[in-house]
Amino acid sequence: MALTESTMVPLGTTCPDFTLPGVDGRLWSLRDFHCPALLVVVMCNHCPYVQAVDDRLNALAKAYQGRCAVVGLNANDAETYPEDSFEAMRARAAAKGYVFPYLWDEEQVVARSFGAVCTPDFFLYDQHRHLVYRGRLDDNWKDAAHVTRRELKAAIDRVLAGQEPLEVQHPSMGCSIKWRNHR
């Protein structure tokens, strides 16, 4: 597992449009999300960094329902990593009780349009769908009991309060996205 840090896409970048299938059997598009904030999380099933934070992510999604839409997006190459296949995504979402849509970016186009490079990679957008936060979930991915700064939560709170983005944003880190070799 190659440890990779997020690329810190410029703040103010417009959220890319997308239409992708979800594990719930429906197609999801950017226009389906109407909350004042939108959090897109590029994630997967097999990454230990995602596995360490997915319960915290799900709790965050529950806490902000109706105010901040959360969507998970998996772009990993399922041929090379079958544990990240669409079927495996369905099973993981059910087992973990995800309260957010978990989408399959099989062609890997959407993840690239976001500038995602690792799992998890977090992108928070305001009501105009401009990027206001791209960083880590908190200051201890490995152990929730030792978190002292919940940076993503603070960023969501600022968006909902109409405040400027956090000045200091630390990159997320995790496994590199498993891009397909160009065929």
Side-chain angles (χ1 to χ4, degrees):
M1 310 270 167
L3 177 62
T4 303
E5 287 190 349
S6 56
T7 58
M8 304 305 279
V9 172
L11 295 180
T13 299
T14 301
C15 184
D17 197 8
F18 59 86
T19 300
L20 294 170
V23 298
D24 59 357
R26 70 171 274 199
L27 282 178
W28 289 87
S29 297
L30 177 60
R31 64 185 163 276
D32 292 321
F33 301 98
H34 305 286
C35 291
L38 172 65
L39 174 62
V40 177
V41 183
V42 179
M43 55 190 282
C44 67
N45 294 346
H46 88 275
C47 173
Y49 296 91
V50 173
Q51 292 172 4
V53 302
D54 64 355
D55 288 336
R56 284 180 262 174
L57 175 61
N58 205 35
L60 188 79
K62 286 178 187 174
Y64 285 97
Q65 279 182 326
R67 299 178 295 147
C68 178
V70 175
V71 59
L73 184 139
N74 177 12
N76 274 359
D77 177 9
E79 287 182 30
T80 306
Y81 294 85
E83 60 267 48
D84 288 330
S85 71
F86 192 61
E87 295 75 28
M89 289 171 59
R90 279 191 179 122
R92 180 137 184 104
K96 298 301 279 184
Y98 289 162
V99 297
F100 54 87
Y102 191 19
L103 311 183
W104 177 227
D105 182 14
E106 184 175 13
E107 298 302 316
Q108 302 182 317
V109 172
V110 177
R112 287 185 192 279
S113 72
F114 275 91
V117 296
C118 62
T119 56
D121 214 345
F122 301 95
F123 300 88
L124 178 64
Y125 297 89
D126 65 14
Q127 66 182 351
H128 304 292
R129 299 306 181 241
H130 294 130
L131 186 66
V132 293
Y133 183 81
R134 71 296 185 241
R136 62 190 184 185
L137 176 68
D138 54 42
D139 65 348
N140 195 323
W141 70 268
K142 199 179 268 191
D143 186 356
H146 289 95
V147 170
T148 62
R149 288 188 317 276
R150 297 176 65 198
E151 292 147 338
L152 180 55
K153 180 190 180 311
I156 294 169
D157 288 342
R158 291 179 73 85
V159 168
L160 296 176
Q163 297 173 340
E164 291 296 313
L166 295 167
E167 284 189 37
V168 176
Q169 298 186 11
H170 301 279
S172 184
M173 64 179 188
C175 297
S176 61
I177 293 176
K178 307 312 182 224
W179 303 111
R180 274 192 309 274
N181 291 329
H182 296 289
R183 297 179 185 132

